[in-house]
Amino acid sequence: MTLFVAEIGLNHLGDEKLAFKMVKDISKTGIKAISMQILHHQDYDNKEPWRKKLDIKVYKKIISFLKKKKIQFGLGIHDENALFEFKNLKIDFWKIISFRFYNDRLIKGALKTLKPVFISTGISSLNDIRLCAKKHPKANFLHTTLSKNISPNLKAIDVMRKIKKKIGYSLHSEVNELIIAALAKKADPIFFYVKNNDKKFYPDGNHAININYLGKKLELWEYISYSIGSGVKKRLKVPSWVVTVVK
């Protein structure tokens, strides 16, 4: 089955209570993985709510809570400082933010932790991805596009699969039905942003899914993922419930 990852990102707005509330609410939807984002250390200047740094104790509390629920926890990271700061926590996976795609030291450092590493490819070309895959063969790639002027280009998943067999998808669109199209392309895992159910401004609000609707959407996505199947058709007996008329 496809792994769905709910990204809080920076939508916790630097608020400890909101961050933990979002984690608890998401955990009730049936999700199997949650991620948050760590800014570059120089960007924590408190000029915006999401530029307020959460204490590491908050992450410890979240990880402890999610471990009991058997839900994975990952971090989207911008620089090597995050690897050092969180190296002693039980992080399940790392996501390299699109803008850090070309940071080989960061990718190499994340891979050294022996945890899965997912690289967002929102600003990179196919040649860039091919080169990155050669440098870091154990890295995983997520197809996405960050510009509203560029189509989601989901066919790129098929093309990228010639470089790496397993390709994921990261939603950066207000049209979250694109996840269904990504499922048809057998993208795995699938990352998407979430936001709290209120009228606050969130940095990833435009392309985030309201947590209140997430449970129903997950049920649909998981059913579609299951329904796509293997593609193998076998000869079957006529089911007993089929009514046949013999003339």
Side-chain angles (χ1 to χ4, degrees), residues 146-203:
L146 300 183
S147 173
K148 290 186 177 181
N149 299 320
I150 301 175
S151 79
N153 193 23
L154 292 178
K155 277 192 173 182
I157 294 172
D158 298 328
V159 180
M160 290 169 63
R161 197 168 280 126
K162 295 176 182 178
I163 299 172
K164 190 84 174 182
K165 186 175 181 180
K166 190 174 181 180
I167 298 295
Y169 177 64
S170 182
L171 178 72
H172 275 268
S173 170
E174 297 177 16
V175 184
N176 56 67
E177 286 82 1
L178 286 172
I179 287 178
I180 296 175
L183 286 171
K185 292 289 183 183
K186 295 191 175 182
D188 186 20
I190 292 180
F191 284 66
F192 56 89
Y193 283 91
V194 293
K195 62 182 177 181
N196 195 42
N197 181 40
D198 56 38
K199 295 183 179 180
K200 293 179 181 178
F201 174 80
Y202 293 99

Side-chain angles (χ1 to χ4, degrees), residues 203-218:
D204 288 298
N206 288 339
H207 48 267
I209 295 172
N210 188 311
I211 291 175
N212 281 20
Y213 307 143
L214 182 55
K216 291 287 187 181
K217 288 184 180 293
L218 274 174

Side-chain angles (χ1 to χ4, degrees), residues 5-238:
V5 184
E7 294 190 85
I8 294 174
L10 300 172
N11 285 346
H12 53 70
L13 303 179
D15 184 322
E16 175 182 341
K17 291 183 179 179
L18 177 59
F20 196 66
K21 177 185 183 302
M22 292 179 74
V23 168
K24 288 197 294 184
D25 289 346
I26 296 168
S27 72
K28 298 174 184 177
T29 66
I31 199 74
K32 295 296 187 292
I34 295 174
S35 75
M36 296 173 69
Q37 188 177 148
I38 306 299
L39 287 175
H40 190 284
H41 65 283
Q42 294 179 341
D43 290 331
Y44 284 114
D45 53 17
N46 296 328
K47 290 182 178 180
E48 300 287 353
W50 56 88
R51 287 187 161 190
K52 179 183 177 182
K53 190 174 184 178
L54 292 174
D55 192 284
I56 195 167
K57 293 179 182 179
V58 177
Y59 297 99
K60 289 180 179 179
K61 181 180 178 181
I62 288 171
I63 290 171
S64 176
F65 173 80
L66 292 179
K67 290 296 179 186
K68 295 175 183 177
K69 301 284 185 179
K70 296 183 179 180
I71 297 174
Q72 295 183 47
F73 181 73
L75 288 176
I77 54 177
H78 285 252
D79 65 359
E80 297 96 315
N81 283 358
L83 293 172
F84 179 79
E85 185 175 3
F86 294 94
K87 66 179 181 180
N88 293 325
L89 299 188
K90 295 181 179 180
I91 303 297
D92 294 299
F93 60 89
W94 305 99
K95 178 184 176 184
I96 307 298
I97 304 302
S98 285
F99 304 119
R100 308 302 176 193
F101 178 92
Y102 304 100
N103 190 331
D104 288 328
R105 287 182 58 188
L106 175 59
I107 296 171
K108 187 180 293 186
L111 288 169
K112 282 184 178 179
T113 67
L114 302 181
K115 301 295 183 182
V117 176
F118 300 96
I119 305 176
S120 186
T121 61
I123 64 171
S124 59
S125 70
L126 187 64
N127 285 337
D128 295 332
I129 296 167
R130 188 177 289 110
L131 180 59
C132 185
K134 287 181 179 180
K135 289 181 181 178
H136 311 290
K138 292 185 178 180
N140 303 284
F141 296 97
L142 302 172
H143 167 63
T144 189
T145 51
L146 300 183
S147 173
K148 290 186 177 181
N149 299 320
I150 301 175
S151 79
N153 193 23
L154 292 178
K155 277 192 173 182
I157 294 172
D158 298 328
V159 180
M160 290 169 63
R161 197 168 280 126
K162 295 176 182 178
I163 299 172
K164 190 84 174 182
K165 186 175 181 180
K166 190 174 181 180
I167 298 295
Y169 177 64
S170 182
L171 178 72
H172 275 268
S173 170
E174 297 177 16
V175 184
N176 56 67
E177 286 82 1
L178 286 172
I179 287 178
I180 296 175
L183 286 171
K185 292 289 183 183
K186 295 191 175 182
D188 186 20
I190 292 180
F191 284 66
F192 56 89
Y193 283 91
V194 293
K195 62 182 177 181
N196 195 42
N197 181 40
D198 56 38
K199 295 183 179 180
K200 293 179 181 178
F201 174 80
Y202 293 99
D204 288 298
N206 288 339
H207 48 267
I209 295 172
N210 188 311
I211 291 175
N212 281 20
Y213 307 143
L214 182 55
K216 291 287 187 181
K217 288 184 180 293
L218 274 174
E219 287 181 13
L220 175 63
W221 298 338
E222 288 176 350
Y223 177 73
I224 290 172
S225 178
Y226 168 78
S227 299
I228 288 170
S230 65
V232 177
K233 284 185 68 66
K234 297 180 180 179
R235 185 173 183 177
L236 302 173
K237 293 182 180 179
V238 176

